[in-house]
Amino acid sequence: MNWPNQNWLDIGALNDIPQRGARVVKTVHGCVAVFRTGDDQVFAIDDRCPHKGGPLSEGIVHGHAVTCPLHNWVFSLETGMAQGADEGAVATYPARIEGGRILLDAKRLIRGAAA
Amino acid sequence: MKRKLVIIGAGMASGRVLEHLLAAEPEGWDVTLFNAEPRGNYNRIMLSPVLSGEKTYQDIVTHDDDFYAQHKINCRFGEAVVRIDRENKVVYSNEGGAPYDKLLIATGSAPFIIPVPGHDLPGVITYRDMDDTQAMIDASDKPGAKAVVIGGGLLGLEAAAGLKARGMEVAVIHLMGHLMERQLDPAAGYLLQKDLEARGITVHCKGATKAILGTDRVEAVLLDDGTVYDADQVCMAVGIRPEVRIATDAALEIGRGITVNDQMVTSDPDILAVGECVEHNAQLFGLVAPLYDQAKVVAATLLNKDAAFQPVQTATKLKVTGVDLFSAGDFADANGREDIVFRDPARGVYKRLVIEDNRLIGAVMYGETGDGSWFFGLIKDGTDISDMRDTLIFGPAYQGGTGADPLAAVAALPLDAEICGCNGICKGTIVSAIEGGATSLADIKAQTKASASCGTCTGLVEQVLASTLGDAFKMPAAQPMCGCTDLTHEDVRRLIKARELKSMPAVMQELGWKTSCGCHVCRPALNFYLLADWPEDYHDDAQSRFVNERNHANIQKDGTYSVVPRMWGGMTNPRELRAVADAADKYDIPAVKVTGGQRIDLLGVKKEHLPDIWADLNAAGLVSGHAYSKGLRTVKTCVGTDFCRFGTQDSTGLGIKLEKRLWGSWTPHKVKLAVSGCPRNCAEATCKDVGIVCVDSGFEIGVGGAAGMDLKETERLAKVATEAEAIDLTVAFVQLYREHAKYLDRPYKWLAKVGLEWVQAQIVEDMDNRAALIKRFDLSQTIYQRDPWADRATPQARADFAPLADLTKEAAE
């Protein structure tokens, strides 16, 4: 994939995140949750459920989705959209793996989701 | 021009009339609805589940304020009608009149009171409406209260079962030789009596009430044979008679009820009547199905359409949870009638068919009633049964050579077989709804009303769905674990053991999971089942645990955590308290609280501080209290013999021993224990999962208490003489629960499924099994009894609990 204007930033090793788990990256706009799925892909979304602010990074990861630990809202890691009957979305951020390292788009992270 | 309709009585029949009428002509009527009860229409046949506590009044409301408002119905609830002025066509209550073009009388019936001395004492009630039900519920609040129910018919037995479920001591007095003699023959009546007695209800047949005794309020019931039953509450349920007083005063034609023709019109052409107050062809009606038929006819008559009421045969079911009986048709002995009888004493099954001229005319079944509606269909249709006579009693599955397919019986039903007795819905109506697009039980309820009243036909409706839709409908009778599988929790647990599945991928592969790696519902359950069944082979999967169990602290609404160190049996000391206070200061803890389980909760800890605060508390000898786990939480104790002048045993010491033995074990849901040193029960042991009450002669062990979403007293598992035995039984009970319960079932829910007797057979009577369970528990503890805090006071854990990266220092461009 090829985004213009990107500034890929190495934020850690893939193995720093357990399979079907997540870690957070702190930014001035709040935390971003970086997920590693069972098939070793990485996704980055806002670490804040739009429902009651639950930390999505602490949710159970299944397939390419995560369940919020507070009230079981389920979000797609690919689109950030709430699944099922719930409505809402979280911002997603470009993420990729290169040589066992996780890369995030620093510009997006620093500018925040609104950019 | 709207026509004025006045209705006297907001009962089930008139409610159904309104539905039909307003569906056909939403704007055609100006309706005034009088009701003597200060409330609108509710499902009267569901009062029994309200009495027993299985439902609430809100659950059984059929028409709420919104319905009345939406249809602009003028509700005059709490107003009894005092006069009908037929000449001027006005109905009067004490509050004023209401003119009508058409009047519908739906006054229902009044309970019959036997005029014995004392029948008017306070505490003697009938069982007819919500007020009666509430009075019985209130009476049951008093601990040890006793109730006498006079009348062993449908209503009386439902009242008795409900009062018993509320914890009252109940005796049923019945005049006839066996219970429900109008619906059951003596053999089925016997089985019913046996079932009720097994629940602790006293049944006194051939009992004639002579007097109700008491001075200011009821105290006892005296029978002709001299027997006296103490009573705080007497419920008279001996029968009902049509409520016709207002119609009599208006000089309408009355027999036993208000006489109506086939169009449900009374002797006054502008007055109709419906429900239990009417008499049609010299017949009265008490069950709901014919009343609903009448309601259809009333609506049609009001709409000037042709319709005629024709009573049909009705079948009876008793709405007492766990009692399965069915009766239909005529089953009296008579010349020319033959019986076919099937009995299975071991299972308490009894079936009797009555045949006359090669036709089935009656059926009584007890203990197994699944084929009831098929037999009922044969009775209604007058089917010639000569060809299937040999196998008739075995039901439709055995007719025409079909095998034992569980759906065959329902698949074989003709389209006009009645499925829902309450609403008179035939299989054909349900099948049409399915062909019109209905695919679920909820669709069927919404479109046909089948199973929307008492609900006992829900299973049949589901089977019709299954047999009609084929593979497109999965029988939900077995509630699957989650969307990832069609198997139930119980099936999965069974298969994990039977097929020796020892990893999550093995379970998902072998049992055909529909998702790649499960979901947040099944994964925590599977993780528990696997670690409980294979402690040595399976490795706990942190990513399948809910956040609290993964981070070993309770997540709070703002994303911070609470930390609760263990205080064994609620005991602590200055050194521990200092360590707690120091930690609260050091980590800037916003709230410190004493929990209900006798320990201290530090609230508002940031995730990245968890490993540090744990290390500090560890240094003072404190370990995790597992306040977050589906596992052993606390063992609450009183001070016992050490300090208390009433204590009979060392309850604190026993509590600490139990906590030291059980801590760290994972269980299907949280487990809380308590040990009280005497029956004053200061540790509140009688509402715990396991509660021990010490007495002079030993230890009373109760299990299955609850004081959360439900409130439940423990049931006595056993009484033992020694502390060692008390510990053994507790450990065996916890292990049995670990091995058998469904994930997220507290012990009391699990007990309700398997029964206390089964548990007692496993661990009180079977000493070998008790020892084996204890051995398996101890084996599991060699692996899982570890302080998770100590395990995480490592540099690696500290790193894992911290953010992966901190970009807050990076400047925006």
Side-chain angles (χ1 to χ4, degrees), chain B residues 625-640:
Chain B
H626 291 89
Y628 47 81
S629 75
K630 310 282 182 260
L632 178 84
R633 293 285 180 91
T634 59
V635 182
K636 193 170 175 177
T637 68
C638 65
V639 292

Side-chain angles (χ1 to χ4, degrees), chain A residues 9 11-12 16-21 23-28 52 55 57-63 67 69-70 72 74 102 107 109-110, chain B residues 516-520 523-524 541 543-547 550-551 555 557 561 607-608 799-800 802-808 810-813:
Chain A
L9 183 70
I11 54 136
D16 288 338
I17 308 178
Q19 272 195 334
R20 289 178 281 125
R23 298 283 297 277
V24 298
V25 173
K26 280 188 168 179
T27 79
V28 287
K52 300 259 178 174
S57 56
E58 299 293 357
I60 289 179
V61 181
H62 43 98
T67 300
L70 293 198
N72 289 337
V74 179
I102 300 167
K107 284 189 178 166
L109 288 176
I110 291 162
Chain B
S516 63
C517 59
C519 70
H520 66 273
R523 285 234 310 275
D541 176 26
Q543 298 314 127
S544 294
R545 286 193 176 275
F546 181 65
V547 52
R550 188 168 355 105
N551 291 345
I555 195 162
K557 60 188 268 191
Y561 291 83
K607 184 183 176 187
E608 54 263 43
D800 289 345
L804 185 57
D806 185 349
L807 305 182
T808 52
E810 307 272 332
E813 285 176 34

Side-chain angles (χ1 to χ4, degrees), chain A residues 82-95:
Chain A
Q83 309 287 291
D86 298 320
E87 283 181 23
V90 289
T92 59
Y93 300 86

Side-chain angles (χ1 to χ4, degrees), chain B residues 580-592:
Chain B
V580 170
D582 288 345
D585 277 342
K586 180 172 171 188
Y587 298 99
D588 210 11
I589 303 297
V592 181

Side-chain angles (χ1 to χ4, degrees), chain B residues 167-406:
Chain B
M168 290 182 94
E169 209 175 307
V170 182
V172 176
I173 316 293
H174 190 50
L175 190 60
M176 308 305 285
H178 67 269
L179 296 171
M180 286 179 69
E181 78 286 349
R182 284 165 64 193
Q183 292 89 11
L184 297 182
D185 61 7
Y190 158 80
L191 285 171
L192 175 58
Q193 180 169 345
K194 214 170 98 175
D195 258 6
L196 294 174
E197 285 170 347
R199 289 159 184 245
I201 296 174
T202 305
V203 178
H204 190 130
C205 287
K206 295 184 188 166
T209 305
K210 188 172 183 184
I212 298 173
L213 311 176
T215 43
D216 297 326
R217 96 169 251 122
V218 59
E219 288 166 21
V221 176
L222 170 67
L223 306 190
D224 267 349
D225 62 13
T227 317
V228 175
Y229 286 101
D230 289 343
D232 300 286
Q233 182 83 32
V234 171
C235 174
M236 253 195 220
V238 289
I240 52 173
R241 53 182 169 72
E243 177 55 83
V244 297
R245 284 173 296 182
I246 196 77
T248 310
D249 292 350
L252 291 172
E253 195 178 303
I254 310 285
R256 284 183 295 159
I258 304 167
T259 315
V260 294
N261 63 15
D262 287 353
Q263 280 67 48
M264 305 305 297
V265 178
T266 67
S267 54
D268 180 328
D270 289 322
I271 303 182
L272 292 81
V274 69
E276 292 181 329
C277 61
V278 309
E279 176 179 332
H280 174 266
N281 282 344
Q283 201 184 342
L284 301 176
F285 303 89
L287 296 174
V288 72
L291 303 195
Y292 283 171
D293 288 346
Q294 292 178 356
K296 261 185 228 166
V297 175
V298 168
T301 304
L302 289 172
L303 295 164
N304 291 319
K305 289 185 188 151
D306 279 340
F309 173 61
Q310 282 190 321
V312 293
Q313 298 241 28
T314 49
T316 302
K317 281 190 173 182
L318 182 70
K319 286 180 300 302
V320 172
T321 307
V323 170
D324 213 3
L325 69 80
F326 176 90
S327 91
D330 182 353
F331 44 83
D333 288 320
N335 276 341
R337 291 184 179 177
E338 297 163 273
D339 280 345
I340 299 176
V341 173
F342 171 84
R343 290 176 195 269
D344 184 342
R347 288 190 300 142
V349 172
Y350 168 81
K351 299 182 188 183
R352 172 163 164 252
L353 304 177
V354 182
I355 292 165
E356 194 173 29
D357 297 335
N358 287 324
R359 281 173 173 74
L360 189 62
I361 61 160
V364 185
M365 288 186 267
Y366 195 91
E368 195 179 273
T369 57
D371 296 333
S373 59
W374 185 71
F375 288 121
F376 187 40
L378 295 179
I379 295 172
K380 277 202 303 189
D381 298 345
T383 310
D384 187 326
I385 50 92
S386 359
D387 290 346
M388 49 183 168
R389 189 175 165 132
D390 290 351
T391 55
L392 186 65
I393 193 113
F394 301 112
Y398 290 85
Q399 312 308 322
T402 45
D405 176 358

